[in-house]
């Protein structure tokens, strides 16, 4: 019997729940969860902001824990290993996307860590706000030796969401990069960009966040509501990582891109307003998007963060503080990610 916290309806708070995890399959890994990150998408799913939530729902797709059992076909993991699980727990493993390491884009749809039907049983997956989880071995990443496991969980979502586009578009030494929005995603974008050798500027609406950006490694910051600052920065950047989580105008940011510059949107999932075609045609600019990476890239990201000593800035809470944490998320009152310490009990 598994114990966790979930909700029965969009207008109900999270509460303690018990449910049955599936029995161990030959290619499964059972994990005792020690830390679980809180993502804004957990809140959106719990409250059915995007539609499609299947209740009861137990969120959580930023998971770190210890292997307690393995199926008889598992060779990649051993009992006692410290491991991590992100936003997906299965896929067909046979289509072109899966074979190329992009399981997130599985032609038959990947199985998400929660609120998603299991590929074999059809049961709805329950996430990481629980004492343990059972996951197909391929979707379990290794936490590199020496890492502070207590701070790793948000890397499985915020980390890979920002790492993947930087790798795809070859951000590195000499890249003039900007990050729009200083939150859970944005602060990781700054840290990763700096670690890859880019000259990183933070773009924010909040002047007080300028010092925060510099402490994270940014060389400069721009207040996006200051027309003079925005004009002065025209055509300055090669790459813009846009982490704003809500619908917003992008014309002002497009004008900051130089020749063949690209802006990648990773935060806004809802409909966006239109933009002026001239602003991408002129200077040969482009706008794109990026989701989480596949499993190989997620492991690469963990290894990179271990080598560069990169962690998210986190605030630890106990499981029974989850509803308060959700309310604080709505107010952006966290610097910059919550992590549930399961050792404090459910």
């Amino acid at each position: 019997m598994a114990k966790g916290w979930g909700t029965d309806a969009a207008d109900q708070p999270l509460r303690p729940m018990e449910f049955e995890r599936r029995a161990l399959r030959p290619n499964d890994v059972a994990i005792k969860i020690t830390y679980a990150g809180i993502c804004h998408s957990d809140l959106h799913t719990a409250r059915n902001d995007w539609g499609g939530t299947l209740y009861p729902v137990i969120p959580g797709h930023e998971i770190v824990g210890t292997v307690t059992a393995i199926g008889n076909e598992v060779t990649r993991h051993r009992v006692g290993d410290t491991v991590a699980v992100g936003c997906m727990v299965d896929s067909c493993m046979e289509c072109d996307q899966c074979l190329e390491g992009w399981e997130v884009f599985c032609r038959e749809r990947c199985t998400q860590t929660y609120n998603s039907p299991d590929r074999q049983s059809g049961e709805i997956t329950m996430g990481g706000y629980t004492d343990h989880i059972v996951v197909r071995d391929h979707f379990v990443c290794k936490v590199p030796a020496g890492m502070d496991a207590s701070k790793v969980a948000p890397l499985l979502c915020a980390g890979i969401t920002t790492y993947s586009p930087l790798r795809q578009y070859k951000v590195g030494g000499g890249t003039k990069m900007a990050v729009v929005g200083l939150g859970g995603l944005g602060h990781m974008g700054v840290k990763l960009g700096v670690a890859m050798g880019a000259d990183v500027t933070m773009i924010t609406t909040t002047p007080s966040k300028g010092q925060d950006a510099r402490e994270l490694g940014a060389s400069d910051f721009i207040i996006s509501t200051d027309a003079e600052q925005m004009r002065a920065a025209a055509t300055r950047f090669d790459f813009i990582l846009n982490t704003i989580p809500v619908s917003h105008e992008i014309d002002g940011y497009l004008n900051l891109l130089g020749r063949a510059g690209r802006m990648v949107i990773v935060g806004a999932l809802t409909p966006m307003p239109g933009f002026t075609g001239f602003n991408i045609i002129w200077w040969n600019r482009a706008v794109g998007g990026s989701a989480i990476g596949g499993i190989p890239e997620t492991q690469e990201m963990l290894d990179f963060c271990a080598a560069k000593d990169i962690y998210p800035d986190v605030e630890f809470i106990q499981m029974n503080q989850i509803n308060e944490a959700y309310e604080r998320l709505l107010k952006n009152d966290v610097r910059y990610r919550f992590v549930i310490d399961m050792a404090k009990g459910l």
Side-chain angles (χ1 to χ4, degrees), residues 141-158:
C141 293
K142 296 180 181 297
V143 175
M147 285 197 88
D148 181 350
S150 71
K151 297 180 180 179
V152 167
L155 295 177
L156 277 296
C157 181

Side-chain angles (χ1 to χ4, degrees), residues 246-248 269-273:
V246 296
S247 179
H248 59 282
L269 301 182
T270 52
M272 297 277 282

Side-chain angles (χ1 to χ4, degrees), residues 211-234:
Q211 184 57 37
D212 293 350
R214 291 191 185 279
E215 290 175 359
L216 292 167
S219 63
D220 196 8
F221 69 94
I222 295 169
I223 306 304
S224 59
T225 52
D226 186 320
E228 184 174 338
Q229 288 189 34
M230 293 291 278
R231 278 196 297 271

